[in-house]
Amino acid sequence: MNDLRIKDLSAHVGEEVTLLGWVYNKRSSGKIKFLILRDGTGYLQCVFFKGNLDEATFNEAGAVGQESTVEVTGAVKKEPRAPGGYELDAKGLKVTHATEDYPITPKEHGPDFLLDKRHLWVRSSRQVAILKVRHRIVKAIRDFFDERDFSLFDPPILTPAACEGTSTLFETPYFDLGNAYLTQSGQLYAEAGALALGKVYTFGPTFRAEKSKTRRHLTEFWMVEPEMAFADLNDDMDLAEEFLEYVVQTVLKDCAEELRTLERDTAKLKNVERPLPRISYDEAVEILKKKGSDFTWGDDFGGADETLISEEFDKPVMVHRYPAAIKAFYMKRDPENEKLALAVDVLAPEGYGEIIGGSQREDDYDTLLGRIKEHKLPVEAFEWYLDLRRYGSAPHSGFGLGLERTVSWICGLDHVRETIPFPRMIYRNTP
Amino acid sequence: MNDLRIKDLSAHVGEEVTLLGWVYNKRSSGKIKFLILRDGTGYLQCVFFKGNLDEATFNEAGAVGQESTVEVTGAVKKEPRAPGGYELDAKGLKVTHATEDYPITPKEHGPDFLLDKRHLWVRSSRQVAILKVRHRIVKAIRDFFDERDFSLFDPPILTPAACEGTSTLFETPYFDLGNAYLTQSGQLYAEAGALALGKVYTFGPTFRAEKSKTRRHLTEFWMVEPEMAFADLNDDMDLAEEFLEYVVQTVLKDCAEELRTLERDTAKLKNVERPLPRISYDEAVEILKKKGSDFTWGDDFGGADETLISEEFDKPVMVHRYPAAIKAFYMKRDPENEKLALAVDVLAPEGYGEIIGGSQREDDYDTLLGRIKEHKLPVEAFEWYLDLRRYGSAPHSGFGLGLERTVSWICGLDHVRETIPFPRMIYRNTP
């Protein structure tokens, strides 16, 4: 079929071409009808002059409904004022599928209505821009790790006996083997991968059956988790800052048009360059106290605390060495202060909160076994994980970055629900 | 930490270096001890000469257990006979984690034992090679679509009311919304994406709760599914053959060493170049009959039939236009023969069976509604899918390729269980 696309028109100025696509919008001005064509690669203003056309074509251009499927023929003209920089001096219009009463009109719609029509809502220019930024972020993430010799290591989605309690896990009957649980993180598996392949990353969907109904929560979201053998917490922070710089600068370079569509203030993104500030949990608590908060040392930061801390910086801030009591059992303790875990969280600016959580992992068999027992976790379910400390143990570190929160931050969105084609939330698993 | 890796040694010939890694294997020959170091990027023969070393180091090199974590210091030498082409004239050895009685030894182990120890088995050179080929295939797949302007369109994993019966679906309670089901295919969602973005691809895990215990079946496997608007069955076949050529030729170019490790006969892969043969279902049935099969027109091909057909060709073969009765409800019928569906399956050579299944989709609202009713599917669950034919319908086509079967074929494996870090099968969901 015809494979000329709107994004390729710069090579066809002056030529007569035929384009396939959908009527995105239209307006009329006396003897001229303007029709905005979309084809997924861009938008093209098609201009129908009454004087140049037979009456039927001119009338059709006025009558054709929004989201009708059309073939438009005409000459490509350079037009700096038009969106995309080109327009079509239209000669012919063929409606291949006439659409009437398209439910999503240029007027405002509520979020429930739009989520019900998500399969159509993804056609809107704003949603197209977000999905293209998402794609570019995914590609930047994979390129970053591929170029640095990390091996992809896809962890299982269906996992056996729950590791950290079943209250926030989705579960499914699994043949004669009892229940299986949908993974919350591929990290433990990535650790096995790092000891086999040196440096690995996982990148896939993860699940939380949390009853959180906030603008930051999805029940199904994608997470990338690098893990490195022979790497300590400092190496982990070095990787995290290089990674964030790479992803943000790549999107700024390649998605300028999409960010304009989203009216994103990119000044705040341009700052995402190394080095990123590194402060200890203790220093973060000091910031909160100076700002008048009654935060207690030893507590975990809430969303409001994270915003107060990140406001002190013009780029993402890395907060390291948290009280071990509020962090996961597998994190290594700071040899200089056993009460602290060698953990790092990265807080995004502008109130977007934690986007990265990482740590150096406990690599000593006896210490890890002790922690598993302290946390009253089932030792048997962790025998395979303990094997990684029985055989060829090595210092290792890694982190996880939530894709949808990152898309939300880079696009400057109010709600994470627009960052994925079909969002899943506590009150929605359709369409 | 030290980040010199084995793969980078060619730039350090003559230098004294220190490498971090694990003892993969060792042997002894009088006054020389050989230790094979692995670090995930390669294998390095470290040579300990008794005459050059203090006695403690020499003895340690003989005593250190398989999979111990070590730092080896020495001078890099070019040595064409050594694996990788370099060896280390070792001066020092530091054992940072002594391993004893590593359970996987160079002797033969049964598959159940190895699958129980999968977290360690992934350290074996054969498994490392397979996982690196898998990574290269994944990257080739994504690069192929990214370079051709397909937008990534991640479909949901948790899906609502089952589309094609629940007997082969995993299900999970979903808050107050009843059950959700783990996706078997992102295709229907990809269709919504294609009408928004022109060309899209999905690439993620999919699930089948089938009680099939064969060497081709996993319950959890990754699938890539491109979908194109304004594309018919011929366009779909054009894409499929260009895609297979790209993936196979890329792996041949970039994974020569891994394929050698796997002892893959690559002659049969070199043939995977366009054009691929295209035969109709009718022609495929003729082949079976000529070979003495009692196959009945109208039946679906079984594994043995696929092997008989594919033996006629020295590269993958595309079989198109199947009886509509054995294909899915959403496939468009052949306008020249209403009994046939505009479907295509691609059969891999060497008995690896179907690796691609695709079709042109029914794009007419009334026809599709009729098919849904004929198949006794719940119309309400398909209202959103029908919307794609109500509003801006267009001819569109796509296909799905199963990642693990493709890895199995390209690597020349007997069983699909080695193609993914942690395989899930009817009788296994651990570790």
Side-chain angles (χ1 to χ4, degrees), chain A residues 7 22 69 99 119 134-135 146 149 154 157-158 174 195 220 387 392-393 424-425, chain B residues 7 22 69 99 119 134-135 146 149 154 157-158 174 219-220 387 392-393 424-425:
Chain A
K7 70 166 186 49
W22 296 270
T69 315
T99 295
H119 51 291
R134 177 188 170 96
H135 181 188
D146 292 348
D149 294 316
D154 294 311
I157 307 296
L158 294 166
Y174 194 88
L195 298 178
E220 174 185 320
D387 269 357
S393 189
R424 296 297 182 241
M425 291 164 285
Chain B
K7 71 165 185 51
W22 296 270
T69 315
T99 295
H119 51 290
R134 177 188 170 97
H135 181 189
D146 292 348
D149 294 316
D154 294 312
I157 307 296
L158 295 165
Y174 195 89
T219 57
E220 175 184 320
D387 268 357
S393 188
R424 296 297 182 242
M425 292 164 285

mmCIF file of all heavy atoms in Angstrom, chain A residues 7 22 69 99 119 134-135 146 149 154 157-158 174 195 220 387 392-393 424-425, chain B residues 7 22 69 99 119 134-135 146 149 154 157-158 174 219-220 387 392-393 424-425:
data_model
loop_
_atom_site.group_PDB
_atom_site.id
_atom_site.type_symbol
_atom_site.label_atom_id
_atom_site.label_comp_id
_atom_site.label_asym_id
_atom_site.label_seq_id
_atom_site.Cartn_x
_atom_site.Cartn_y
_atom_site.Cartn_z
ATOM 1 N N LYS A 7 5.575 12.708 8.033
ATOM 2 C CA LYS A 7 6.908 13.122 8.504
ATOM 3 C C LYS A 7 7.940 13.160 7.378
ATOM 4 O O LYS A 7 9.012 13.742 7.539
ATOM 5 C CB LYS A 7 7.394 12.190 9.614
ATOM 6 C CG LYS A 7 7.745 10.804 9.124
ATOM 7 C CD LYS A 7 8.535 10.014 10.137
ATOM 8 C CE LYS A 7 8.981 8.688 9.542
ATOM 9 N NZ LYS A 7 9.625 8.749 8.212
ATOM 10 N N TRP A 22 -6.372 10.203 8.906
ATOM 11 C CA TRP A 22 -7.651 10.478 9.541
ATOM 12 C C TRP A 22 -7.838 11.985 9.697
ATOM 13 O O TRP A 22 -6.868 12.736 9.871
ATOM 14 C CB TRP A 22 -7.699 9.833 10.923
ATOM 15 C CG TRP A 22 -7.625 8.341 10.887
ATOM 16 C CD1 TRP A 22 -8.674 7.474 10.800
ATOM 17 C CD2 TRP A 22 -6.444 7.521 10.938
ATOM 18 N NE1 TRP A 22 -8.220 6.178 10.803
ATOM 19 C CE2 TRP A 22 -6.860 6.164 10.889
ATOM 20 C CE3 TRP A 22 -5.071 7.782 11.017
ATOM 21 C CZ2 TRP A 22 -5.955 5.099 10.911
ATOM 22 C CZ3 TRP A 22 -4.171 6.720 11.044
ATOM 23 C CH2 TRP A 22 -4.618 5.403 10.992
ATOM 24 N N THR A 69 -11.712 8.210 7.918
ATOM 25 C CA THR A 69 -10.501 7.746 7.248
ATOM 26 C C THR A 69 -10.530 8.282 5.821
ATOM 27 O O THR A 69 -11.543 8.131 5.129
ATOM 28 C CB THR A 69 -10.466 6.211 7.232
ATOM 29 O OG1 THR A 69 -10.826 5.731 8.535
ATOM 30 C CG2 THR A 69 -9.089 5.696 6.866
ATOM 31 N N THR A 99 -16.871 8.678 9.311
ATOM 32 C CA THR A 99 -17.139 8.574 10.743
ATOM 33 C C THR A 99 -18.106 9.675 11.154
ATOM 34 O O THR A 99 -17.944 10.822 10.780
ATOM 35 C CB THR A 99 -15.819 8.711 11.532
ATOM 36 O OG1 THR A 99 -14.993 7.599 11.221
ATOM 37 C CG2 THR A 99 -16.067 8.760 13.032
ATOM 38 N N HIS A 119 -9.196 3.586 24.209
ATOM 39 C CA HIS A 119 -8.832 3.045 22.896
ATOM 40 C C HIS A 119 -8.969 4.083 21.790
ATOM 41 O O HIS A 119 -8.384 3.941 20.724
ATOM 42 C CB HIS A 119 -9.681 1.815 22.578
ATOM 43 C CG HIS A 119 -11.156 2.058 22.752
ATOM 44 N ND1 HIS A 119 -11.753 2.260 23.988
ATOM 45 C CD2 HIS A 119 -12.159 2.155 21.846
ATOM 46 C CE1 HIS A 119 -13.059 2.459 23.820
ATOM 47 N NE2 HIS A 119 -13.315 2.399 22.536
ATOM 48 N N ARG A 134 7.253 8.308 25.885
ATOM 49 C CA ARG A 134 7.437 7.017 26.579
ATOM 50 C C ARG A 134 8.327 6.078 25.763
ATOM 51 O O ARG A 134 9.267 5.478 26.281
ATOM 52 C CB ARG A 134 6.067 6.361 26.812
ATOM 53 C CG ARG A 134 6.147 4.978 27.471
ATOM 54 C CD ARG A 134 4.779 4.276 27.514
ATOM 55 N NE ARG A 134 4.909 2.904 27.929
ATOM 56 C CZ ARG A 134 4.741 2.441 29.171
ATOM 57 N NH1 ARG A 134 4.378 3.264 30.122
ATOM 58 N NH2 ARG A 134 4.920 1.175 29.461
ATOM 59 N N HIS A 135 8.023 5.986 24.473
ATOM 60 C CA HIS A 135 8.814 5.113 23.606
ATOM 61 C C HIS A 135 10.278 5.557 23.603
ATOM 62 O O HIS A 135 11.180 4.734 23.744
ATOM 63 C CB HIS A 135 8.232 5.142 22.192
ATOM 64 C CG HIS A 135 8.949 4.266 21.209
ATOM 65 N ND1 HIS A 135 8.676 4.281 19.874
ATOM 66 C CD2 HIS A 135 9.943 3.369 21.365
ATOM 67 C CE1 HIS A 135 9.461 3.404 19.245
ATOM 68 N NE2 HIS A 135 10.250 2.847 20.120
ATOM 69 N N ASP A 146 22.618 -1.274 27.088
ATOM 70 C CA ASP A 146 23.245 -2.080 26.032
ATOM 71 C C ASP A 146 24.640 -1.549 25.703
ATOM 72 O O ASP A 146 25.586 -2.317 25.517
ATOM 73 C CB ASP A 146 22.378 -2.067 24.761
ATOM 74 C CG ASP A 146 21.063 -2.807 24.941
ATOM 75 O OD1 ASP A 146 20.902 -3.525 25.957
ATOM 76 O OD2 ASP A 146 20.177 -2.656 24.084
ATOM 77 N N ASP A 149 27.462 -2.648 28.175
ATOM 78 C CA ASP A 149 27.692 -4.086 28.388
ATOM 79 C C ASP A 149 26.840 -4.722 29.471
ATOM 80 O O ASP A 149 27.241 -5.730 30.058
ATOM 81 C CB ASP A 149 29.175 -4.368 28.714
ATOM 82 C CG ASP A 149 30.059 -4.058 27.531
ATOM 83 O OD1 ASP A 149 29.679 -4.438 26.421
ATOM 84 O OD2 ASP A 149 31.118 -3.434 27.726
ATOM 85 N N ASP A 154 15.588 -11.047 31.569
ATOM 86 C CA ASP A 154 14.148 -10.947 31.839
ATOM 87 C C ASP A 154 13.768 -11.828 33.020
ATOM 88 O O ASP A 154 13.890 -13.051 32.946
ATOM 89 C CB ASP A 154 13.347 -11.388 30.611
ATOM 90 C CG ASP A 154 13.527 -10.449 29.425
ATOM 91 O OD1 ASP A 154 13.400 -9.232 29.630
ATOM 92 O OD2 ASP A 154 13.778 -10.925 28.303
ATOM 93 N N ILE A 157 7.591 -13.323 35.689
ATOM 94 C CA ILE A 157 6.449 -12.557 36.188
ATOM 95 C C ILE A 157 5.732 -13.392 37.247
ATOM 96 O O ILE A 157 5.338 -12.887 38.299
ATOM 97 C CB ILE A 157 5.473 -12.217 35.039
ATOM 98 C CG1 ILE A 157 6.193 -11.538 33.870
ATOM 99 C CG2 ILE A 157 4.321 -11.360 35.556
ATOM 100 C CD1 ILE A 157 6.802 -10.214 34.151
ATOM 101 N N LEU A 158 5.556 -14.669 36.959
ATOM 102 C CA LEU A 158 4.897 -15.565 37.914
ATOM 103 C C LEU A 158 5.957 -16.077 38.879
ATOM 104 O O LEU A 158 6.915 -16.744 38.479
ATOM 105 C CB LEU A 158 4.248 -16.733 37.170
ATOM 106 C CG LEU A 158 3.083 -16.332 36.257
ATOM 107 C CD1 LEU A 158 2.732 -17.479 35.299
ATOM 108 C CD2 LEU A 158 1.855 -15.944 37.076
ATOM 109 N N TYR A 174 -1.982 -21.907 40.163
ATOM 110 C CA TYR A 174 -0.984 -22.364 39.192
ATOM 111 C C TYR A 174 -0.986 -23.893 39.150
ATOM 112 O O TYR A 174 -0.255 -24.543 39.895
ATOM 113 C CB TYR A 174 0.403 -21.819 39.565
ATOM 114 C CG TYR A 174 1.412 -21.956 38.439
ATOM 115 C CD1 TYR A 174 1.526 -20.960 37.483
ATOM 116 C CD2 TYR A 174 2.202 -23.090 38.311
ATOM 117 C CE1 TYR A 174 2.428 -21.079 36.429
ATOM 118 C CE2 TYR A 174 3.101 -23.228 37.259
ATOM 119 C CZ TYR A 174 3.210 -22.215 36.325
ATOM 120 O OH TYR A 174 4.093 -22.330 35.282
ATOM 121 N N LEU A 195 25.676 -12.175 39.070
ATOM 122 C CA LEU A 195 26.769 -13.071 39.440
ATOM 123 C C LEU A 195 27.110 -14.036 38.304
ATOM 124 O O LEU A 195 28.154 -14.671 38.307
ATOM 125 C CB LEU A 195 26.421 -13.826 40.727
ATOM 126 C CG LEU A 195 26.216 -12.912 41.956
ATOM 127 C CD1 LEU A 195 25.825 -13.715 43.174
ATOM 128 C CD2 LEU A 195 27.448 -12.059 42.259
ATOM 129 N N GLU A 220 -0.251 -1.826 37.742
ATOM 130 C CA GLU A 220 0.615 -2.502 36.765
ATOM 131 C C GLU A 220 1.515 -1.440 36.169
ATOM 132 O O GLU A 220 1.017 -0.461 35.609
ATOM 133 C CB GLU A 220 -0.294 -3.128 35.697
ATOM 134 C CG GLU A 220 0.420 -3.756 34.537
ATOM 135 C CD GLU A 220 -0.570 -4.249 33.463
ATOM 136 O OE1 GLU A 220 -1.633 -4.795 33.808
ATOM 137 O OE2 GLU A 220 -0.268 -4.055 32.277
ATOM 138 N N ASP A 387 21.843 -19.207 48.199
ATOM 139 C CA ASP A 387 22.884 -19.858 47.373
ATOM 140 C C ASP A 387 23.814 -18.832 46.727
ATOM 141 O O ASP A 387 24.995 -19.105 46.508
ATOM 142 C CB ASP A 387 22.239 -20.679 46.245
ATOM 143 C CG ASP A 387 21.989 -22.124 46.638
ATOM 144 O OD1 ASP A 387 22.355 -22.515 47.767
ATOM 145 O OD2 ASP A 387 21.431 -22.862 45.799
ATOM 146 N N GLY A 392 30.387 -18.233 45.315
ATOM 147 C CA GLY A 392 30.879 -17.104 44.517
ATOM 148 C C GLY A 392 30.225 -15.785 44.850
ATOM 149 O O GLY A 392 29.887 -15.007 43.956
ATOM 150 N N SER A 393 30.049 -15.517 46.134
ATOM 151 C CA SER A 393 29.466 -14.232 46.511
ATOM 152 C C SER A 393 30.418 -13.088 46.155
ATOM 153 O O SER A 393 31.636 -13.283 46.098
ATOM 154 C CB SER A 393 29.154 -14.212 48.005
ATOM 155 O OG SER A 393 28.410 -13.058 48.332
ATOM 156 N N ARG A 424 -3.928 0.624 34.571
ATOM 157 C CA ARG A 424 -4.655 -0.235 35.498
ATOM 158 C C ARG A 424 -4.548 0.372 36.883
ATOM 159 O O ARG A 424 -3.450 0.592 37.387
ATOM 160 C CB ARG A 424 -4.041 -1.642 35.494
ATOM 161 C CG ARG A 424 -4.171 -2.359 34.138
ATOM 162 C CD ARG A 424 -5.625 -2.577 33.805
ATOM 163 N NE ARG A 424 -5.855 -3.286 32.568
ATOM 164 C CZ ARG A 424 -6.518 -2.765 31.523
ATOM 165 N NH1 ARG A 424 -6.946 -1.504 31.548
ATOM 166 N NH2 ARG A 424 -6.750 -3.504 30.454
ATOM 167 N N MET A 425 -5.724 0.658 37.470
ATOM 168 C CA MET A 425 -5.761 1.256 38.797
ATOM 169 C C MET A 425 -6.747 0.483 39.644
ATOM 170 O O MET A 425 -7.465 -0.375 39.132
ATOM 171 C CB MET A 425 -6.147 2.733 38.664
ATOM 172 C CG MET A 425 -5.022 3.542 37.996
ATOM 173 S SD MET A 425 -5.551 5.158 37.383
ATOM 174 C CE MET A 425 -6.476 4.691 35.919
ATOM 175 N N LYS B 7 36.689 -8.836 28.217
ATOM 176 C CA LYS B 7 36.489 -8.505 26.806
ATOM 177 C C LYS B 7 37.339 -7.322 26.344
ATOM 178 O O LYS B 7 37.494 -7.087 25.145
ATOM 179 C CB LYS B 7 35.009 -8.229 26.518
ATOM 180 C CG LYS B 7 34.521 -6.935 27.107
ATOM 181 C CD LYS B 7 33.187 -6.501 26.526
ATOM 182 C CE LYS B 7 32.806 -5.119 27.069
ATOM 183 N NZ LYS B 7 33.835 -4.088 26.961
ATOM 184 N N TRP B 22 35.236 -15.005 38.649
ATOM 185 C CA TRP B 22 34.992 -16.279 39.320
ATOM 186 C C TRP B 22 35.812 -17.384 38.650
ATOM 187 O O TRP B 22 36.053 -17.337 37.441
ATOM 188 C CB TRP B 22 33.509 -16.636 39.232
ATOM 189 C CG TRP B 22 32.618 -15.687 39.948
ATOM 190 C CD1 TRP B 22 32.220 -15.767 41.250
ATOM 191 C CD2 TRP B 22 32.004 -14.500 39.414
ATOM 192 N NE1 TRP B 22 31.395 -14.704 41.558
ATOM 193 C CE2 TRP B 22 31.247 -13.916 40.463
ATOM 194 C CE3 TRP B 22 32.024 -13.857 38.173
ATOM 195 C CZ2 TRP B 22 30.515 -12.733 40.288
ATOM 196 C CZ3 TRP B 22 31.304 -12.686 38.008
ATOM 197 C CH2 TRP B 22 30.556 -12.138 39.055
ATOM 198 N N THR B 69 35.164 -16.552 44.239
ATOM 199 C CA THR B 69 35.322 -15.190 43.739
ATOM 200 C C THR B 69 36.773 -14.783 43.956
ATOM 201 O O THR B 69 37.296 -14.952 45.069
ATOM 202 C CB THR B 69 34.396 -14.233 44.504
ATOM 203 O OG1 THR B 69 33.108 -14.844 44.603
ATOM 204 C CG2 THR B 69 34.273 -12.902 43.797
ATOM 205 N N THR B 99 34.665 -20.684 47.619
ATOM 206 C CA THR B 99 33.486 -21.524 47.413
ATOM 207 C C THR B 99 33.895 -22.994 47.485
ATOM 208 O O THR B 99 34.882 -23.392 46.880
ATOM 209 C CB THR B 99 32.862 -21.216 46.038
ATOM 210 O OG1 THR B 99 32.382 -19.875 46.053
ATOM 211 C CG2 THR B 99 31.713 -22.164 45.720
ATOM 212 N N HIS B 119 19.282 -20.620 39.220
ATOM 213 C CA HIS B 119 19.966 -19.394 39.639
ATOM 214 C C HIS B 119 21.482 -19.545 39.574
ATOM 215 O O HIS B 119 22.205 -18.553 39.533
ATOM 216 C CB HIS B 119 19.527 -19.017 41.056
ATOM 217 C CG HIS B 119 19.635 -20.135 42.036
ATOM 218 N ND1 HIS B 119 18.808 -21.247 42.008
ATOM 219 C CD2 HIS B 119 20.484 -20.354 43.069
ATOM 220 C CE1 HIS B 119 19.150 -22.086 42.979
ATOM 221 N NE2 HIS B 119 20.163 -21.569 43.634
ATOM 222 N N ARG B 134 19.745 -14.353 23.222
ATOM 223 C CA ARG B 134 18.402 -13.834 23.512
ATOM 224 C C ARG B 134 18.422 -12.305 23.564
ATOM 225 O O ARG B 134 17.584 -11.634 22.976
ATOM 226 C CB ARG B 134 17.904 -14.388 24.855
ATOM 227 C CG ARG B 134 16.530 -13.845 25.286
ATOM 228 C CD ARG B 134 16.172 -14.281 26.717
ATOM 229 N NE ARG B 134 14.994 -13.580 27.184
ATOM 230 C CZ ARG B 134 13.750 -14.061 27.146
ATOM 231 N NH1 ARG B 134 13.521 -15.261 26.680
ATOM 232 N NH2 ARG B 134 12.733 -13.321 27.578
ATOM 233 N N HIS B 135 19.393 -11.755 24.276
ATOM 234 C CA HIS B 135 19.504 -10.293 24.382
ATOM 235 C C HIS B 135 19.680 -9.665 22.993
ATOM 236 O O HIS B 135 19.003 -8.682 22.660
ATOM 237 C CB HIS B 135 20.683 -9.945 25.298
ATOM 238 C CG HIS B 135 20.883 -8.471 25.510
ATOM 239 N ND1 HIS B 135 21.966 -7.954 26.147
ATOM 240 C CD2 HIS B 135 20.132 -7.395 25.152
ATOM 241 C CE1 HIS B 135 21.885 -6.634 26.190
ATOM 242 N NE2 HIS B 135 20.780 -6.268 25.581
ATOM 243 N N ASP B 146 11.963 0.143 15.598
ATOM 244 C CA ASP B 146 12.262 1.550 15.872
ATOM 245 C C ASP B 146 12.755 2.263 14.602
ATOM 246 O O ASP B 146 12.365 3.397 14.323
ATOM 247 C CB ASP B 146 13.336 1.676 16.965
ATOM 248 C CG ASP B 146 12.826 1.225 18.332
ATOM 249 O OD1 ASP B 146 11.598 1.041 18.484
ATOM 250 O OD2 ASP B 146 13.653 1.056 19.249
ATOM 251 N N ASP B 149 9.934 3.361 12.124
ATOM 252 C CA ASP B 149 8.884 4.260 12.607
ATOM 253 C C ASP B 149 7.694 3.579 13.259
ATOM 254 O O ASP B 149 6.583 4.127 13.273
ATOM 255 C CB ASP B 149 8.357 5.164 11.477
ATOM 256 C CG ASP B 149 9.420 6.122 11.009
ATOM 257 O OD1 ASP B 149 10.109 6.696 11.867
ATOM 258 O OD2 ASP B 149 9.556 6.304 9.785
ATOM 259 N N ASP B 154 2.932 -0.519 24.720
ATOM 260 C CA ASP B 154 2.868 -1.596 25.722
ATOM 261 C C ASP B 154 1.420 -1.901 26.090
ATOM 262 O O ASP B 154 0.729 -1.051 26.652
ATOM 263 C CB ASP B 154 3.622 -1.183 26.988
ATOM 264 C CG ASP B 154 5.126 -1.032 26.751
ATOM 265 O OD1 ASP B 154 5.713 -1.943 26.154
ATOM 266 O OD2 ASP B 154 5.691 -0.001 27.159
ATOM 267 N N ILE B 157 -1.187 -6.135 30.844
ATOM 268 C CA ILE B 157 -1.039 -7.554 31.181
ATOM 269 C C ILE B 157 -2.344 -8.031 31.832
ATOM 270 O O ILE B 157 -2.830 -9.117 31.540
ATOM 271 C CB ILE B 157 0.136 -7.757 32.166
ATOM 272 C CG1 ILE B 157 1.418 -7.122 31.626
ATOM 273 C CG2 ILE B 157 0.318 -9.242 32.470
ATOM 274 C CD1 ILE B 157 1.963 -7.698 30.374
ATOM 275 N N LEU B 158 -2.888 -7.214 32.734
ATOM 276 C CA LEU B 158 -4.146 -7.561 33.393
ATOM 277 C C LEU B 158 -5.295 -7.106 32.506
ATOM 278 O O LEU B 158 -5.445 -5.913 32.231
ATOM 279 C CB LEU B 158 -4.223 -6.876 34.759
ATOM 280 C CG LEU B 158 -3.177 -7.350 35.776
ATOM 281 C CD1 LEU B 158 -3.084 -6.374 36.950
ATOM 282 C CD2 LEU B 158 -3.511 -8.753 36.273
ATOM 283 N N TYR B 174 -9.315 -9.084 41.361
ATOM 284 C CA TYR B 174 -8.900 -7.703 41.121
ATOM 285 C C TYR B 174 -9.794 -6.751 41.920
ATOM 286 O O TYR B 174 -10.828 -6.299 41.443
ATOM 287 C CB TYR B 174 -8.957 -7.378 39.620
ATOM 288 C CG TYR B 174 -8.213 -6.102 39.261
ATOM 289 C CD1 TYR B 174 -6.859 -6.138 38.934
ATOM 290 C CD2 TYR B 174 -8.849 -4.864 39.288
ATOM 291 C CE1 TYR B 174 -6.164 -4.981 38.631
ATOM 292 C CE2 TYR B 174 -8.154 -3.693 38.998
ATOM 293 C CZ TYR B 174 -6.816 -3.759 38.664
ATOM 294 O OH TYR B 174 -6.123 -2.610 38.371
ATOM 295 N N THR B 219 4.555 -21.534 30.045
ATOM 296 C CA THR B 219 3.297 -20.879 30.438
ATOM 297 C C THR B 219 3.455 -19.357 30.395
ATOM 298 O O THR B 219 2.478 -18.630 30.340
ATOM 299 C CB THR B 219 2.870 -21.306 31.857
ATOM 300 O OG1 THR B 219 3.922 -20.988 32.773
ATOM 301 C CG2 THR B 219 2.588 -22.791 31.907
ATOM 302 N N GLU B 220 4.698 -18.908 30.455
ATOM 303 C CA GLU B 220 4.998 -17.468 30.436
ATOM 304 C C GLU B 220 6.055 -17.266 29.373
ATOM 305 O O GLU B 220 7.134 -17.871 29.450
ATOM 306 C CB GLU B 220 5.536 -17.093 31.827
ATOM 307 C CG GLU B 220 6.016 -15.684 31.962
ATOM 308 C CD GLU B 220 6.620 -15.435 33.356
ATOM 309 O OE1 GLU B 220 6.090 -15.932 34.368
ATOM 310 O OE2 GLU B 220 7.646 -14.742 33.410
ATOM 311 N N ASP B 387 -15.586 -0.331 18.493
ATOM 312 C CA ASP B 387 -15.407 1.110 18.282
ATOM 313 C C ASP B 387 -14.334 1.407 17.231
ATOM 314 O O ASP B 387 -14.404 2.400 16.513
ATOM 315 C CB ASP B 387 -14.975 1.801 19.588
ATOM 316 C CG ASP B 387 -16.160 2.312 20.400
ATOM 317 O OD1 ASP B 387 -17.321 2.184 19.926
ATOM 318 O OD2 ASP B 387 -15.916 2.852 21.496
ATOM 319 N N GLY B 392 -13.286 5.769 12.200
ATOM 320 C CA GLY B 392 -12.002 5.801 11.489
ATOM 321 C C GLY B 392 -11.413 4.434 11.214
ATOM 322 O O GLY B 392 -10.214 4.215 11.363
ATOM 323 N N SER B 393 -12.259 3.494 10.785
ATOM 324 C CA SER B 393 -11.742 2.169 10.457
ATOM 325 C C SER B 393 -10.826 2.247 9.233
ATOM 326 O O SER B 393 -10.981 3.142 8.383
ATOM 327 C CB SER B 393 -12.889 1.202 10.200
ATOM 328 O OG SER B 393 -12.394 -0.113 10.073
ATOM 329 N N ARG B 424 8.942 -20.996 33.145
ATOM 330 C CA ARG B 424 7.731 -21.392 33.856
ATOM 331 C C ARG B 424 6.997 -22.411 33.007
ATOM 332 O O ARG B 424 6.664 -22.146 31.850
ATOM 333 C CB ARG B 424 6.845 -20.159 34.097
ATOM 334 C CG ARG B 424 7.497 -19.118 35.019
ATOM 335 C CD ARG B 424 7.716 -19.692 36.391
ATOM 336 N NE ARG B 424 8.294 -18.769 37.360
ATOM 337 C CZ ARG B 424 9.464 -18.968 37.947
ATOM 338 N NH1 ARG B 424 10.219 -19.995 37.634
ATOM 339 N NH2 ARG B 424 9.890 -18.118 38.871
ATOM 340 N N MET B 425 6.779 -23.574 33.588
ATOM 341 C CA MET B 425 6.092 -24.645 32.870
ATOM 342 C C MET B 425 5.021 -25.216 33.776
ATOM 343 O O MET B 425 4.941 -24.865 34.953
ATOM 344 C CB MET B 425 7.115 -25.706 32.465
ATOM 345 C CG MET B 425 8.073 -25.172 31.395
ATOM 346 S SD MET B 425 9.584 -26.159 31.191
ATOM 347 C CE MET B 425 10.503 -25.690 32.640
#
